[in-house]
Amino acid sequence: MAEAAMKAPMAEAERELTDGFHLIIDALKLNGVKTIYGVPGIPITDFGRMAQASGIRVLSFRHEQNAGYAASIAGFLTKQPGICLTVSAPGFLNGLTALAHATTNCFPMILMSGSSEREIVDLQQGDYEEMDQLAIAKPLCKAAFRVLHAADIGTGLARAIRAALSGRPGGVYLDLPAKLFGQVMDAEAGKKSLVKVIDPAPAQIPAPDAVKRALDVLKSAKKPLIILGKGAAYAQADADIKALVEKTGIPFLPMSMGKGLLPDTHPQCAGAARSTVLAQSDVVMLIGARLNWLLSHGKGKSWGEPHSKKFIQIDIEPKEMDSNVEIAAPLVGDIGSCVSALLHGLGGHWTAPPADWVKAVASKRDENVAKMAPRLMNNNNPMDYHGALGVLRTIVKERPDAILVNEGANALDLTRGIIDMYQPRKRLDVGTWGVMGVGMGYAIAAAIETGKPVLAIEGDSAFGFSGMEIETICRYNLPVCVVIFNNDGIYRGTDVNTSNADPATTVFVKGARYDKMIEAFGGVGVNATTPDELKRAVNAAMDSGKPTLVNAVLDPAAGSESGRIGNLNPQSALKKK
Ligand SMILES: Cc1ncc(C[n+]2csc(CCOP(=O)(O)OP(=O)(O)O)c2C)c(N)n1
Ligand SMILES: [Mg+2]
């Protein structure tokens, strides 16, 4: 008895132990996480070091919002949750915009944030970076969890991964209080507590009668149209989507990030005939596209009302149906399963849509493309958007596997319209919110996740939201070429304030040299004043893979207010004074 009592503490000491730090790392690795995007600090600095030492790639950013945007687009590109790691309160809040952005855009992402001591936070006793982060995150994401015990780390991460990936993907918050990292437990029990998530995004097969209904509606069409959203791109069902479009012979319209699923130069592409197909089609099949503001809510003048239309909608989220207009044939399921069921249902005998419709769409498109062509060849000095985009368009055509990141107002809308995409998931942009600031985070994650060269076309204002991350691009030596469309401001650089000496609200320093910024970090900076100079600089950057920033000097008067969405600016009912 006495002997046994003496032996017990010895055995305790010899037992192998593990801690919260290692359990989180092991749980991430068990679930295939290879990259973490974040900013270090208390309480996660050591965690980042240990994760790096364990072989996970830990990329340090200059601001959490950019790390968060990087994680969000990593989720879109890989169909695995992108991981963002932040410190408590301010770091957490900086990452939160990106988490909300991921949720809005249906990208799988997990924001893991360190947090302060629960006991002190809950009594509001003023801890270092005190904040009730879980409560704040909840309304902005799909799900939010907190792990208080090391033994629950496996479950916490498994729940986060499932929540991010299953059904409609989105952002998940995982709260990791400082004390959790240092908690110790038996290593064997710890190992057993980890969960490898099996089939995190199970196929959701559409009901056979829903497939038949969709095909019946499609068959009844005289002027059918297919709209491909970024959900279709996310699905990675590229071959089946292409087969469905080509077998049916129906004109297709890609949404911004759906571009390239089929090449924009495809004979059925109606991208350059957008207003015609929206107004004149009689049956519209939406594949992974929502009828939100980007599609004028499916009604009104741009949809040719009072002409009535029938919609078929493929979406994994049943609540999406009828959100704006009646959906005649809702097809609920994952896009891969739905498209494959439709393909199967088409069988061998599908009648192509009436030739006059297909011809009308093609000739409108050709007419619009021809109208644009001479503007793209202009060699104006100072440059305008069309001259600059003319050369960049050719560069993307010659390098179809490069990734194009794009934000701004005119810099966004004109790039979207002018630069053809040739492969799926190559165009990454501001998404559902039209948010500024995604640029450098997206560019970094795109380079890291795909290994492909990245061309980021940025308005000078848009770039400013994440501009400091060019240091990150240089530090990791990423093949990113940033082209800044520098028109001295937001929309235009020509506004004048008539009341005092302050500059107008939309203008920046005239003649700014953004190219000098990247030189501070050892990257290549080029000032380009003509389309020729721009072409040379971008080709050199894409060939060398060296971090490059090209300051493309544009005519400050070249843009228009709010780009293509000036109509959304509120107007007073009162007459202007
Ligand atoms: C986070 C966020 N803040 C502000 C805006 C409003 N906004 C829309 S476009 C834009 C910048 C447009 O200027 P620029 O990027 O230079 O493009 P340009 O039209 O001049 O080519 C701003 C500030 C936004 N969309 N998102
Ligand atoms: Mg600008």
Side-chain angles (χ1 to χ4, degrees):
M1 183 76 187
E3 206 179 3
M6 276 182 63
K7 264 188 184 165
M10 278 267 289
E12 182 76 18
E14 279 168 14
R15 246 175 45 195
E16 234 188 283
L17 297 174
T18 186
D19 57 18
F21 288 107
H22 289 93
L23 285 167
I24 301 169
I25 291 166
D26 292 346
L28 289 169
K29 289 180 85 167
L30 183 65
N31 285 289
V33 170
K34 295 193 173 61
T35 311
I36 295 175
Y37 301 90
V39 176
I42 296 171
I44 52 144
T45 315
D46 269 347
F47 173 78
R49 290 191 184 109
M50 291 181 200
Q52 189 170 51
S54 83
I56 294 179
R57 220 163 164 197
V58 184
L59 288 117
S60 268
F61 282 65
R62 305 301 293 261
H63 190 292
E64 291 87 352
Q65 189 174 104
N66 306 318
Y69 287 141
S72 77
I73 208 67
F76 170 75
L77 288 168
T78 64
K79 286 185 105 174
Q80 301 297 322
I83 309 283
C84 177
L85 178 67
T86 64
V87 302
S88 327
F92 157 78
L93 285 174
N94 284 345
L96 202 53
T97 311
L99 187 69
H101 166 82
T103 307
T104 300
N105 284 275
C106 317
F107 299 158
M109 164 181 172
I110 300 173
L111 174 64
M112 300 196 326
S113 181
S115 60
S116 308
E117 298 310 333
R118 288 289 351 132
E119 293 82 349
I120 307 179
V121 172
D122 289 347
L123 273 173
Q124 299 169 34
Q125 293 174 305
D127 202 4
Y128 170 67
E129 298 190 340
E130 174 182 300
M131 177 171 276
D132 189 1
Q133 297 171 195
L134 188 72
I136 290 166
K138 255 183 197 161
L140 299 172
C141 56
K142 254 186 102 178
F145 305 100
R146 174 184 293 133
V147 184
L148 287 173
H149 302 293
D152 292 332
I153 285 170
T155 302
L157 192 74
R159 302 214 69 189
I161 291 171
R162 269 196 198 282
L165 286 175
S166 61
R168 172 177 281 179
V172 175
Y173 177 60
L174 189 60
D175 193 75
L176 305 173
K179 264 191 200 163
L180 177 73
F181 292 91
Q183 269 183 38
V184 167
M185 70 179 285
D186 176 76
E188 195 50 38
K191 195 170 173 197
K192 283 202 186 118
S193 73
L194 300 184
V195 178
K196 180 165 169 53
V197 180
I198 311 294
D199 196 13
Q204 286 183 230
I205 315 285
D209 59 338
V211 176
K212 184 173 177 308
R213 188 186 299 117
L215 285 169
D216 286 347
V217 174
L218 203 58
K219 269 183 213 156
S220 74
K222 303 253 170 331
K223 299 176 170 184
L225 171 69
I226 292 176
I227 297 185
L228 301 171
K230 67 175 172 300
Y234 174 79
Q236 298 194 15
D238 308 337
D240 273 1
I241 289 173
K242 182 167 182 280
L244 181 69
V245 170
E246 290 184 341
K247 267 198 169 172
T248 59
I250 297 173
F252 69 93
L253 178 69
M255 299 301 288
S256 202
M257 282 174 63
K259 276 164 72 85
L261 265 167
L262 287 89
D264 285 329
T265 49
H266 191 282
Q268 286 166 256
C269 183
R274 188 178 194 272
S275 24
T276 302
V277 289
L278 289 190
Q280 294 183 13
S281 53
D282 62 351
V283 169
V284 179
M285 180 156 74
L286 301 154
I287 307 185
R290 294 170 286 183
L291 282 174
N292 57 19
W293 71 280
L294 287 155
L295 281 170
S296 311
H297 306 282
K299 52 195 166 192
K301 220 176 107 204
S302 49
W303 286 93
E305 278 181 2
H307 181 84
S308 74
K309 254 176 238 292
K310 283 190 176 162
F311 286 98
I312 304 162
Q313 182 160 27
I314 303 182
D315 203 290
I316 201 162
E317 173 56 66
K319 292 200 299 274
E320 186 60 40
M321 305 300 162
D322 307 325
S323 59
N324 286 269
V325 294
E326 181 185 293
I327 301 299
L331 196 50
V332 175
D334 72 274
I335 286 168
S337 299
C338 290
V339 170
S340 125
L342 287 173
L343 262 178
H344 196 74
L346 286 182
H349 32 266
W350 177 263
T351 317
D356 53 350
W357 168 242
V358 175
K359 246 193 244 158
V361 174
S363 65
K364 188 72 203 169
R365 179 199 62 210
D366 295 345
E367 184 192 317
N368 286 342
V369 168
K371 233 189 267 171
M372 176 84 83
R375 298 185 68 186
L376 300 179
M377 281 153 58
N378 89 61
N379 220 2
N380 291 349
N381 190 352
M383 274 188 284
D384 61 17
Y385 288 92
H386 290 83
L389 284 166
V391 296
L392 296 176
R393 177 179 191 255
T394 306
I395 289 173
V396 171
K397 185 177 180 185
E398 290 165 355
R399 304 168 192 271
D401 68 338
I403 292 182
L404 178 66
V405 171
N406 187 206
E407 60 177 338
N410 295 278
L412 175 84
D413 295 341
L414 293 167
T415 302
R416 182 198 297 118
I418 291 170
I419 296 198
D420 291 326
M421 304 308 297
Y422 301 87
Q423 294 178 13
R425 294 173 296 284
K426 296 297 187 187
R427 187 185 152 82
L428 310 176
D429 67 29
V430 298
T432 311
W433 270 343
V435 66
M436 298 298 111
V438 293
M440 296 305 101
Y442 273 21
I444 291 167
I448 294 284
E449 300 290 340
T450 70
K452 304 284 184 207
V454 177
L455 174 62
I457 301 182
E458 300 271 316
D460 50 340
S461 164
F463 171 73
F465 287 75
S466 67
M468 193 62 211
E469 302 297 345
I470 54 168
E471 187 277 330
T472 314
I473 291 169
C474 290
R475 184 163 19 105
Y476 293 101
N477 194 24
L478 298 174
V480 174
C481 174
V482 182
V483 173
I484 298 187
F485 278 0
N486 186 358
N487 62 347
D488 292 348
I490 299 175
Y491 314 140
R492 301 161 72 87
T494 51
D495 264 9
V496 177
N497 169 18
T498 50
S499 78
N500 57 34
D502 288 342
T505 55
T506 55
V507 304
F508 298 150
V509 166
K510 308 257 175 246
R513 291 287 302 272
Y514 292 96
D515 50 309
K516 303 250 185 211
M517 285 174 68
I518 199 167
E519 289 175 357
F521 308 110
V524 179
V526 183
N527 189 50
T529 58
T530 64
D532 267 357
E533 284 172 13
L534 177 62
K535 178 174 148 189
R536 249 179 285 133
V538 175
N539 270 325
M542 301 302 274
D543 285 341
S544 72
K546 283 191 195 146
T548 300
L549 193 155
V550 184
N551 183 52
V553 183
L554 296 199
D555 181 352
S560 53
E561 177 96 356
S562 303
R564 289 269 163 91
I565 53 172
N567 58 311
L568 298 182
N569 284 307
Q571 300 291 330
S572 171
L574 295 175
K575 280 204 182 110
K576 275 199 177 142
K577 280 188 203 158

